[in-house]
PDB file of all heavy atoms in Angstrom:
ATOM      1  N   SER Q   1       1.369 141.275 -91.346  1.00  0.00           N
ATOM      2  CA  SER Q   1       1.609 141.374 -89.909  1.00  0.00           C
ATOM      3  C   SER Q   1       2.079 140.046 -89.347  1.00  0.00           C
ATOM      4  O   SER Q   1       1.828 138.978 -89.907  1.00  0.00           O
ATOM      5  CB  SER Q   1       0.334 141.816 -89.187  1.00  0.00           C
ATOM      6  OG  SER Q   1      -0.663 140.824 -89.285  1.00  0.00           O
ATOM      7  N   SER Q   2       2.767 140.120 -88.220  1.00  0.00           N
ATOM      8  CA  SER Q   2       3.112 138.924 -87.463  1.00  0.00           C
ATOM      9  C   SER Q   2       1.862 138.402 -86.778  1.00  0.00           C
ATOM     10  O   SER Q   2       1.003 139.170 -86.340  1.00  0.00           O
ATOM     11  CB  SER Q   2       4.184 139.245 -86.421  1.00  0.00           C
ATOM     12  OG  SER Q   2       4.284 138.216 -85.451  1.00  0.00           O
ATOM     13  N   SER Q   3       1.757 137.088 -86.659  1.00  0.00           N
ATOM     14  CA  SER Q   3       0.584 136.502 -86.016  1.00  0.00           C
ATOM     15  C   SER Q   3       0.616 136.647 -84.504  1.00  0.00           C
ATOM     16  O   SER Q   3      -0.416 136.550 -83.850  1.00  0.00           O
ATOM     17  CB  SER Q   3       0.479 135.021 -86.382  1.00  0.00           C
ATOM     18  OG  SER Q   3       1.683 134.339 -86.049  1.00  0.00           O
ATOM     19  N   VAL Q   4       1.783 136.891 -83.936  1.00  0.00           N
ATOM     20  CA  VAL Q   4       1.923 137.003 -82.478  1.00  0.00           C
ATOM     21  C   VAL Q   4       1.767 138.449 -82.026  1.00  0.00           C
ATOM     22  O   VAL Q   4       1.065 138.734 -81.054  1.00  0.00           O
ATOM     23  CB  VAL Q   4       3.280 136.433 -82.020  1.00  0.00           C
ATOM     24  CG1 VAL Q   4       3.457 136.610 -80.508  1.00  0.00           C
ATOM     25  CG2 VAL Q   4       3.382 134.948 -82.390  1.00  0.00           C
ATOM     26  N   ILE Q   5       2.408 139.386 -82.731  1.00  0.00           N
ATOM     27  CA  ILE Q   5       2.328 140.809 -82.408  1.00  0.00           C
ATOM     28  C   ILE Q   5       1.892 141.531 -83.673  1.00  0.00           C
ATOM     29  O   ILE Q   5       2.688 141.716 -84.596  1.00  0.00           O
ATOM     30  CB  ILE Q   5       3.677 141.354 -81.901  1.00  0.00           C
ATOM     31  CG1 ILE Q   5       4.146 140.561 -80.677  1.00  0.00           C
ATOM     32  CG2 ILE Q   5       3.559 142.833 -81.552  1.00  0.00           C
ATOM     33  CD1 ILE Q   5       5.504 140.982 -80.156  1.00  0.00           C
ATOM     34  N   PRO Q   6       0.631 141.957 -83.764  1.00  0.00           N
ATOM     35  CA  PRO Q   6       0.076 142.446 -85.033  1.00  0.00           C
ATOM     36  C   PRO Q   6       0.782 143.656 -85.632  1.00  0.00           C
ATOM     37  O   PRO Q   6       0.716 143.850 -86.845  1.00  0.00           O
ATOM     38  CB  PRO Q   6      -1.377 142.786 -84.665  1.00  0.00           C
ATOM     39  CG  PRO Q   6      -1.686 141.919 -83.490  1.00  0.00           C
ATOM     40  CD  PRO Q   6      -0.400 141.827 -82.721  1.00  0.00           C
ATOM     41  N   ASP Q   7       1.455 144.499 -84.818  1.00  0.00           N
ATOM     42  CA  ASP Q   7       2.095 145.670 -85.397  1.00  0.00           C
ATOM     43  C   ASP Q   7       3.546 145.398 -85.816  1.00  0.00           C
ATOM     44  O   ASP Q   7       4.242 146.315 -86.245  1.00  0.00           O
ATOM     45  CB  ASP Q   7       2.016 146.877 -84.457  1.00  0.00           C
ATOM     46  CG  ASP Q   7       2.592 146.593 -83.084  1.00  0.00           C
ATOM     47  OD1 ASP Q   7       2.278 145.534 -82.518  1.00  0.00           O
ATOM     48  OD2 ASP Q   7       3.360 147.426 -82.576  1.00  0.00           O
ATOM     49  N   LEU Q   8       3.994 144.137 -85.738  1.00  0.00           N
ATOM     50  CA  LEU Q   8       5.272 143.761 -86.321  1.00  0.00           C
ATOM     51  C   LEU Q   8       5.024 143.220 -87.732  1.00  0.00           C
ATOM     52  O   LEU Q   8       3.887 143.090 -88.159  1.00  0.00           O
ATOM     53  CB  LEU Q   8       5.995 142.741 -85.440  1.00  0.00           C
ATOM     54  CG  LEU Q   8       6.321 143.238 -84.021  1.00  0.00           C
ATOM     55  CD1 LEU Q   8       7.189 142.234 -83.286  1.00  0.00           C
ATOM     56  CD2 LEU Q   8       6.985 144.611 -84.032  1.00  0.00           C
ATOM     57  N   HIS Q   9       6.091 142.875 -88.456  1.00  0.00           N
ATOM     58  CA  HIS Q   9       5.976 142.757 -89.905  1.00  0.00           C
ATOM     59  C   HIS Q   9       6.441 141.400 -90.436  1.00  0.00           C
ATOM     60  O   HIS Q   9       7.351 140.769 -89.884  1.00  0.00           O
ATOM     61  CB  HIS Q   9       6.789 143.864 -90.584  1.00  0.00           C
ATOM     62  CG  HIS Q   9       6.722 145.174 -89.868  1.00  0.00           C
ATOM     63  ND1 HIS Q   9       5.533 145.821 -89.625  1.00  0.00           N
ATOM     64  CD2 HIS Q   9       7.689 145.942 -89.291  1.00  0.00           C
ATOM     65  CE1 HIS Q   9       5.762 146.940 -88.956  1.00  0.00           C
ATOM     66  NE2 HIS Q   9       7.059 147.034 -88.735  1.00  0.00           N
ATOM     67  N   ARG Q  10       5.827 141.015 -91.544  1.00  0.00           N
ATOM     68  CA  ARG Q  10       6.187 139.769 -92.233  1.00  0.00           C
ATOM     69  C   ARG Q  10       6.210 140.029 -93.733  1.00  0.00           C
ATOM     70  O   ARG Q  10       5.173 140.279 -94.341  1.00  0.00           O
ATOM     71  CB  ARG Q  10       5.177 138.669 -91.902  1.00  0.00           C
ATOM     72  CG  ARG Q  10       5.427 137.359 -92.623  1.00  0.00           C
ATOM     73  CD  ARG Q  10       4.323 136.357 -92.317  1.00  0.00           C
ATOM     74  NE  ARG Q  10       4.570 135.074 -92.966  1.00  0.00           N
ATOM     75  CZ  ARG Q  10       3.745 134.019 -92.891  1.00  0.00           C
ATOM     76  NH1 ARG Q  10       2.621 134.117 -92.178  1.00  0.00           N
ATOM     77  NH2 ARG Q  10       4.032 132.892 -93.511  1.00  0.00           N
ATOM     78  N   LEU Q  11       7.391 139.988 -94.316  1.00  0.00           N
ATOM     79  CA  LEU Q  11       7.506 140.121 -95.769  1.00  0.00           C
ATOM     80  C   LEU Q  11       6.787 138.948 -96.433  1.00  0.00           C
ATOM     81  O   LEU Q  11       7.045 137.779 -96.123  1.00  0.00           O
ATOM     82  CB  LEU Q  11       8.972 140.136 -96.182  1.00  0.00           C
ATOM     83  CG  LEU Q  11       9.670 141.498 -96.062  1.00  0.00           C
ATOM     84  CD1 LEU Q  11      11.182 141.307 -95.999  1.00  0.00           C
ATOM     85  CD2 LEU Q  11       9.309 142.393 -97.232  1.00  0.00           C
ATOM     86  N   ALA Q  12       5.889 139.254 -97.354  1.00  0.00           N
ATOM     87  CA  ALA Q  12       5.054 138.232 -97.986  1.00  0.00           C
ATOM     88  C   ALA Q  12       5.762 137.666 -99.213  1.00  0.00           C
ATOM     89  O   ALA Q  12       5.285 137.793-100.351  1.00  0.00           O
ATOM     90  CB  ALA Q  12       3.693 138.812 -98.353  1.00  0.00           C
ATOM     91  N   PHE Q  13       6.905 137.016 -98.993  1.00  0.00           N
ATOM     92  CA  PHE Q  13       7.658 136.451-100.099  1.00  0.00           C
ATOM     93  C   PHE Q  13       6.851 135.404-100.866  1.00  0.00           C
ATOM     94  O   PHE Q  13       7.041 135.213-102.060  1.00  0.00           O
ATOM     95  CB  PHE Q  13       8.943 135.796 -99.584  1.00  0.00           C
ATOM     96  CG  PHE Q  13      10.000 136.768 -99.161  1.00  0.00           C
ATOM     97  CD1 PHE Q  13      10.611 136.653 -97.925  1.00  0.00           C
ATOM     98  CD2 PHE Q  13      10.413 137.791 -99.994  1.00  0.00           C
ATOM     99  CE1 PHE Q  13      11.605 137.527 -97.531  1.00  0.00           C
ATOM    100  CE2 PHE Q  13      11.406 138.677 -99.619  1.00  0.00           C
ATOM    101  CZ  PHE Q  13      12.003 138.542 -98.381  1.00  0.00           C
ATOM    102  N   GLN Q  14       5.961 134.697-100.175  1.00  0.00           N
ATOM    103  CA  GLN Q  14       5.220 133.618-100.829  1.00  0.00           C
ATOM    104  C   GLN Q  14       4.461 134.114-102.051  1.00  0.00           C
ATOM    105  O   GLN Q  14       4.350 133.409-103.056  1.00  0.00           O
ATOM    106  CB  GLN Q  14       4.240 132.976 -99.844  1.00  0.00           C
ATOM    107  CG  GLN Q  14       4.928 132.176 -98.742  1.00  0.00           C
ATOM    108  CD  GLN Q  14       3.933 131.305 -97.984  1.00  0.00           C
ATOM    109  OE1 GLN Q  14       2.941 130.875 -98.540  1.00  0.00           O
ATOM    110  NE2 GLN Q  14       4.214 131.055 -96.722  1.00  0.00           N
ATOM    111  N   ALA Q  15       3.944 135.338-101.960  1.00  0.00           N
ATOM    112  CA  ALA Q  15       3.167 135.883-103.079  1.00  0.00           C
ATOM    113  C   ALA Q  15       4.029 136.089-104.316  1.00  0.00           C
ATOM    114  O   ALA Q  15       3.520 136.167-105.432  1.00  0.00           O
ATOM    115  CB  ALA Q  15       2.517 137.197-102.667  1.00  0.00           C
ATOM    116  N   ALA Q  16       5.346 136.184-104.140  1.00  0.00           N
ATOM    117  CA  ALA Q  16       6.239 136.436-105.260  1.00  0.00           C
ATOM    118  C   ALA Q  16       6.575 135.175-106.046  1.00  0.00           C
ATOM    119  O   ALA Q  16       7.116 135.246-107.138  1.00  0.00           O
ATOM    120  CB  ALA Q  16       7.532 137.081-104.759  1.00  0.00           C
ATOM    121  N   HIS Q  17       6.287 133.992-105.467  1.00  0.00           N
ATOM    122  CA  HIS Q  17       6.651 132.740-106.125  1.00  0.00           C
ATOM    123  C   HIS Q  17       5.624 132.362-107.193  1.00  0.00           C
ATOM    124  O   HIS Q  17       4.425 132.331-106.934  1.00  0.00           O
ATOM    125  CB  HIS Q  17       6.763 131.613-105.090  1.00  0.00           C
ATOM    126  CG  HIS Q  17       7.997 131.697-104.270  1.00  0.00           C
ATOM    127  ND1 HIS Q  17       9.167 131.084-104.608  1.00  0.00           N
ATOM    128  CD2 HIS Q  17       8.244 132.337-103.111  1.00  0.00           C
ATOM    129  CE1 HIS Q  17      10.088 131.337-103.704  1.00  0.00           C
ATOM    130  NE2 HIS Q  17       9.548 132.106-102.782  1.00  0.00           N
ATOM    131  N   ARG Q  18       6.126 132.053-108.381  1.00  0.00           N
ATOM    132  CA  ARG Q  18       5.249 131.557-109.442  1.00  0.00           C
ATOM    133  C   ARG Q  18       5.317 130.032-109.516  1.00  0.00           C
ATOM    134  O   ARG Q  18       4.347 129.364-109.779  1.00  0.00           O
ATOM    135  CB  ARG Q  18       5.660 132.165-110.782  1.00  0.00           C
ATOM    136  CG  ARG Q  18       5.502 133.673-110.824  1.00  0.00           C
ATOM    137  CD  ARG Q  18       4.042 134.098-110.629  1.00  0.00           C
ATOM    138  NE  ARG Q  18       3.918 135.550-110.644  1.00  0.00           N
ATOM    139  CZ  ARG Q  18       3.922 136.291-109.534  1.00  0.00           C
ATOM    140  NH1 ARG Q  18       4.030 135.717-108.350  1.00  0.00           N
ATOM    141  NH2 ARG Q  18       3.801 137.601-109.617  1.00  0.00           N
ATOM    142  N   THR Q  19       6.491 129.482-109.290  1.00  0.00           N
ATOM    143  CA  THR Q  19       6.663 128.038-109.196  1.00  0.00           C
ATOM    144  C   THR Q  19       7.446 127.736-107.926  1.00  0.00           C
ATOM    145  O   THR Q  19       8.213 128.581-107.447  1.00  0.00           O
ATOM    146  CB  THR Q  19       7.419 127.480-110.409  1.00  0.00           C
ATOM    147  OG1 THR Q  19       8.711 128.098-110.478  1.00  0.00           O
ATOM    148  CG2 THR Q  19       6.648 127.747-111.694  1.00  0.00           C
ATOM    149  N   TRP Q  20       7.257 126.543-107.399  1.00  0.00           N
ATOM    150  CA  TRP Q  20       7.935 126.149-106.172  1.00  0.00           C
ATOM    151  C   TRP Q  20       8.934 125.043-106.489  1.00  0.00           C
ATOM    152  O   TRP Q  20       8.596 124.087-107.191  1.00  0.00           O
ATOM    153  CB  TRP Q  20       6.929 125.672-105.121  1.00  0.00           C
ATOM    154  CG  TRP Q  20       6.045 126.771-104.647  1.00  0.00           C
ATOM    155  CD1 TRP Q  20       4.829 127.123-105.151  1.00  0.00           C
ATOM    156  CD2 TRP Q  20       6.320 127.689-103.589  1.00  0.00           C
ATOM    157  NE1 TRP Q  20       4.321 128.208-104.470  1.00  0.00           N
ATOM    158  CE2 TRP Q  20       5.214 128.580-103.497  1.00  0.00           C
ATOM    159  CE3 TRP Q  20       7.377 127.868-102.701  1.00  0.00           C
ATOM    160  CZ2 TRP Q  20       5.139 129.600-102.570  1.00  0.00           C
ATOM    161  CZ3 TRP Q  20       7.309 128.889-101.767  1.00  0.00           C
ATOM    162  CH2 TRP Q  20       6.210 129.741-101.707  1.00  0.00           C
ATOM    163  N   PRO Q  21      10.159 125.156-105.993  1.00  0.00           N
ATOM    164  CA  PRO Q  21      11.171 124.145-106.296  1.00  0.00           C
ATOM    165  C   PRO Q  21      10.847 122.811-105.633  1.00  0.00           C
ATOM    166  O   PRO Q  21      10.241 122.756-104.562  1.00  0.00           O
ATOM    167  CB  PRO Q  21      12.453 124.751-105.711  1.00  0.00           C
ATOM    168  CG  PRO Q  21      11.974 125.630-104.597  1.00  0.00           C
ATOM    169  CD  PRO Q  21      10.669 126.200-105.076  1.00  0.00           C
ATOM    170  N   SER Q  22      11.265 121.738-106.274  1.00  0.00           N
ATOM    171  CA  SER Q  22      11.121 120.413-105.679  1.00  0.00           C
ATOM    172  C   SER Q  22      11.970 120.308-104.413  1.00  0.00           C
ATOM    173  O   SER Q  22      13.062 120.895-104.335  1.00  0.00           O
ATOM    174  CB  SER Q  22      11.555 119.347-106.685  1.00  0.00           C
ATOM    175  OG  SER Q  22      11.563 118.067-106.088  1.00  0.00           O
ATOM    176  N   ILE Q  23      11.465 119.577-103.432  1.00  0.00           N
ATOM    177  CA  ILE Q  23      12.177 119.397-102.162  1.00  0.00           C
ATOM    178  C   ILE Q  23      12.335 117.906-101.895  1.00  0.00           C
ATOM    179  O   ILE Q  23      11.370 117.132-102.004  1.00  0.00           O
ATOM    180  CB  ILE Q  23      11.426 120.054-100.990  1.00  0.00           C
ATOM    181  CG1 ILE Q  23      11.313 121.559-101.188  1.00  0.00           C
ATOM    182  CG2 ILE Q  23      12.119 119.743 -99.661  1.00  0.00           C
ATOM    183  CD1 ILE Q  23      10.516 122.252-100.099  1.00  0.00           C
ATOM    184  N   SER Q  24      13.542 117.487-101.532  1.00  0.00           N
ATOM    185  CA  SER Q  24      13.790 116.133-101.057  1.00  0.00           C
ATOM    186  C   SER Q  24      13.731 116.133 -99.542  1.00  0.00           C
ATOM    187  O   SER Q  24      14.449 116.904 -98.886  1.00  0.00           O
ATOM    188  CB  SER Q  24      15.163 115.638-101.523  1.00  0.00           C
ATOM    189  OG  SER Q  24      15.196 115.515-102.932  1.00  0.00           O
ATOM    190  N   VAL Q  25      12.878 115.293 -98.983  1.00  0.00           N
ATOM    191  CA  VAL Q  25      12.698 115.200 -97.531  1.00  0.00           C
ATOM    192  C   VAL Q  25      13.404 113.949 -97.039  1.00  0.00           C
ATOM    193  O   VAL Q  25      13.120 112.842 -97.512  1.00  0.00           O
ATOM    194  CB  VAL Q  25      11.210 115.145 -97.152  1.00  0.00           C
ATOM    195  CG1 VAL Q  25      11.047 115.186 -95.641  1.00  0.00           C
ATOM    196  CG2 VAL Q  25      10.433 116.279 -97.814  1.00  0.00           C
ATOM    197  N   ILE Q  26      14.329 114.106 -96.104  1.00  0.00           N
ATOM    198  CA  ILE Q  26      15.098 112.980 -95.553  1.00  0.00           C
ATOM    199  C   ILE Q  26      14.632 112.725 -94.129  1.00  0.00           C
ATOM    200  O   ILE Q  26      14.734 113.611 -93.262  1.00  0.00           O
ATOM    201  CB  ILE Q  26      16.617 113.264 -95.592  1.00  0.00           C
ATOM    202  CG1 ILE Q  26      17.111 113.325 -97.038  1.00  0.00           C
ATOM    203  CG2 ILE Q  26      17.391 112.209 -94.825  1.00  0.00           C
ATOM    204  CD1 ILE Q  26      17.109 114.686 -97.664  1.00  0.00           C
ATOM    205  N   ILE Q  27      14.121 111.514 -93.871  1.00  0.00           N
ATOM    206  CA  ILE Q  27      13.586 111.163 -92.551  1.00  0.00           C
ATOM    207  C   ILE Q  27      14.281 109.902 -92.044  1.00  0.00           C
ATOM    208  O   ILE Q  27      14.000 108.793 -92.527  1.00  0.00           O
ATOM    209  CB  ILE Q  27      12.070 110.908 -92.608  1.00  0.00           C
ATOM    210  CG1 ILE Q  27      11.337 112.063 -93.285  1.00  0.00           C
ATOM    211  CG2 ILE Q  27      11.519 110.678 -91.196  1.00  0.00           C
ATOM    212  CD1 ILE Q  27       9.856 111.805 -93.508  1.00  0.00           C
ATOM    213  N   PRO Q  28      15.196 109.997 -91.098  1.00  0.00           N
ATOM    214  CA  PRO Q  28      15.732 108.782 -90.458  1.00  0.00           C
ATOM    215  C   PRO Q  28      14.659 108.120 -89.590  1.00  0.00           C
ATOM    216  O   PRO Q  28      13.863 108.809 -88.943  1.00  0.00           O
ATOM    217  CB  PRO Q  28      16.884 109.319 -89.600  1.00  0.00           C
ATOM    218  CG  PRO Q  28      17.209 110.674 -90.172  1.00  0.00           C
ATOM    219  CD  PRO Q  28      15.887 111.205 -90.651  1.00  0.00           C
ATOM    220  N   ASN Q  29      14.652 106.785 -89.578  1.00  0.00           N
ATOM    221  CA  ASN Q  29      13.627 106.081 -88.793  1.00  0.00           C
ATOM    222  C   ASN Q  29      14.118 104.697 -88.374  1.00  0.00           C
ATOM    223  O   ASN Q  29      14.942 104.074 -89.047  1.00  0.00           O
ATOM    224  CB  ASN Q  29      12.339 105.930 -89.615  1.00  0.00           C
ATOM    225  CG  ASN Q  29      11.205 105.341 -88.777  1.00  0.00           C
ATOM    226  OD1 ASN Q  29      10.817 105.942 -87.778  1.00  0.00           O
ATOM    227  ND2 ASN Q  29      10.690 104.178 -89.152  1.00  0.00           N
ATOM    228  N   PHE Q  30      13.568 104.243 -87.246  1.00  0.00           N
ATOM    229  CA  PHE Q  30      13.740 102.857 -86.803  1.00  0.00           C
ATOM    230  C   PHE Q  30      12.463 102.443 -86.091  1.00  0.00           C
ATOM    231  O   PHE Q  30      12.103 103.017 -85.050  1.00  0.00           O
ATOM    232  CB  PHE Q  30      14.953 102.721 -85.878  1.00  0.00           C
ATOM    233  CG  PHE Q  30      15.095 101.341 -85.300  1.00  0.00           C
ATOM    234  CD1 PHE Q  30      15.475 100.273 -86.118  1.00  0.00           C
ATOM    235  CD2 PHE Q  30      14.830 101.089 -83.962  1.00  0.00           C
ATOM    236  CE1 PHE Q  30      15.598  98.990 -85.593  1.00  0.00           C
ATOM    237  CE2 PHE Q  30      14.952  99.826 -83.433  1.00  0.00           C
ATOM    238  CZ  PHE Q  30      15.344  98.759 -84.250  1.00  0.00           C
ATOM    239  N   ASN Q  31      11.752 101.477 -86.677  1.00  0.00           N
ATOM    240  CA  ASN Q  31      10.463 101.035 -86.135  1.00  0.00           C
ATOM    241  C   ASN Q  31       9.512 102.228 -85.981  1.00  0.00           C
ATOM    242  O   ASN Q  31       9.199 102.880 -86.942  1.00  0.00           O
ATOM    243  CB  ASN Q  31      10.660 100.248 -84.849  1.00  0.00           C
ATOM    244  CG  ASN Q  31      11.251  98.870 -85.150  1.00  0.00           C
ATOM    245  OD1 ASN Q  31      10.979  98.271 -86.195  1.00  0.00           O
ATOM    246  ND2 ASN Q  31      12.061  98.351 -84.226  1.00  0.00           N
ATOM    247  N   ALA Q  32       9.056 102.534 -84.749  1.00  0.00           N
ATOM    248  CA  ALA Q  32       8.209 103.705 -84.465  1.00  0.00           C
ATOM    249  C   ALA Q  32       7.061 103.857 -85.460  1.00  0.00           C
ATOM    250  O   ALA Q  32       6.946 104.886 -86.138  1.00  0.00           O
ATOM    251  CB  ALA Q  32       9.067 104.970 -84.441  1.00  0.00           C
ATOM    252  N   PRO Q  33       6.179 102.843 -85.594  1.00  0.00           N
ATOM    253  CA  PRO Q  33       5.140 102.897 -86.643  1.00  0.00           C
ATOM    254  C   PRO Q  33       4.197 104.088 -86.507  1.00  0.00           C
ATOM    255  O   PRO Q  33       3.817 104.687 -87.523  1.00  0.00           O
ATOM    256  CB  PRO Q  33       4.406 101.567 -86.475  1.00  0.00           C
ATOM    257  CG  PRO Q  33       4.728 101.104 -85.082  1.00  0.00           C
ATOM    258  CD  PRO Q  33       6.103 101.602 -84.800  1.00  0.00           C
ATOM    259  N   LYS Q  34       3.801 104.437 -85.296  1.00  0.00           N
ATOM    260  CA  LYS Q  34       2.870 105.560 -85.137  1.00  0.00           C
ATOM    261  C   LYS Q  34       3.516 106.871 -85.558  1.00  0.00           C
ATOM    262  O   LYS Q  34       2.877 107.723 -86.206  1.00  0.00           O
ATOM    263  CB  LYS Q  34       2.386 105.640 -83.692  1.00  0.00           C
ATOM    264  CG  LYS Q  34       1.484 104.484 -83.281  1.00  0.00           C
ATOM    265  CD  LYS Q  34       0.980 104.657 -81.853  1.00  0.00           C
ATOM    266  CE  LYS Q  34       0.064 103.500 -81.462  1.00  0.00           C
ATOM    267  NZ  LYS Q  34      -0.418 103.628 -80.062  1.00  0.00           N
ATOM    268  N   LEU Q  35       4.782 107.045 -85.194  1.00  0.00           N
ATOM    269  CA  LEU Q  35       5.458 108.299 -85.532  1.00  0.00           C
ATOM    270  C   LEU Q  35       5.688 108.438 -87.028  1.00  0.00           C
ATOM    271  O   LEU Q  35       5.442 109.495 -87.614  1.00  0.00           O
ATOM    272  CB  LEU Q  35       6.789 108.394 -84.777  1.00  0.00           C
ATOM    273  CG  LEU Q  35       6.713 108.564 -83.263  1.00  0.00           C
ATOM    274  CD1 LEU Q  35       8.112 108.559 -82.666  1.00  0.00           C
ATOM    275  CD2 LEU Q  35       5.991 109.848 -82.892  1.00  0.00           C
ATOM    276  N   ILE Q  36       6.173 107.376 -87.669  1.00  0.00           N
ATOM    277  CA  ILE Q  36       6.471 107.493 -89.094  1.00  0.00           C
ATOM    278  C   ILE Q  36       5.188 107.661 -89.901  1.00  0.00           C
ATOM    279  O   ILE Q  36       5.150 108.393 -90.891  1.00  0.00           O
ATOM    280  CB  ILE Q  36       7.318 106.290 -89.585  1.00  0.00           C
ATOM    281  CG1 ILE Q  36       7.919 106.595 -90.948  1.00  0.00           C
ATOM    282  CG2 ILE Q  36       6.521 105.005 -89.598  1.00  0.00           C
ATOM    283  CD1 ILE Q  36       8.937 107.715 -90.951  1.00  0.00           C
TER     284      ILE Q  36
END
């Protein structure tokens, strides 16, 4: 179910995954110590 409207639908694709692909995360930054 959807978390907002319980009678709507969410395909549970996560259950089908046996392994998860590696992800590269790109974060631009300048100073901002608390945010980074």
Side-chain angles (χ1 to χ4, degrees):
S1 66
S2 164
S3 55
V4 177
I5 303 177
D7 55 314
L8 299 187
H9 322 302
R10 177 184 182 181
L11 277 159
F13 287 129
Q14 290 193 30
H17 285 269
R18 297 298 179 265
T19 60
W20 293 92
S22 174
I23 298 177
S24 295
V25 185
I26 293 92
I27 308 174
N29 186 61
F30 175 71
N31 288 327
K34 292 183 179 179
L35 292 177
I36 195 66

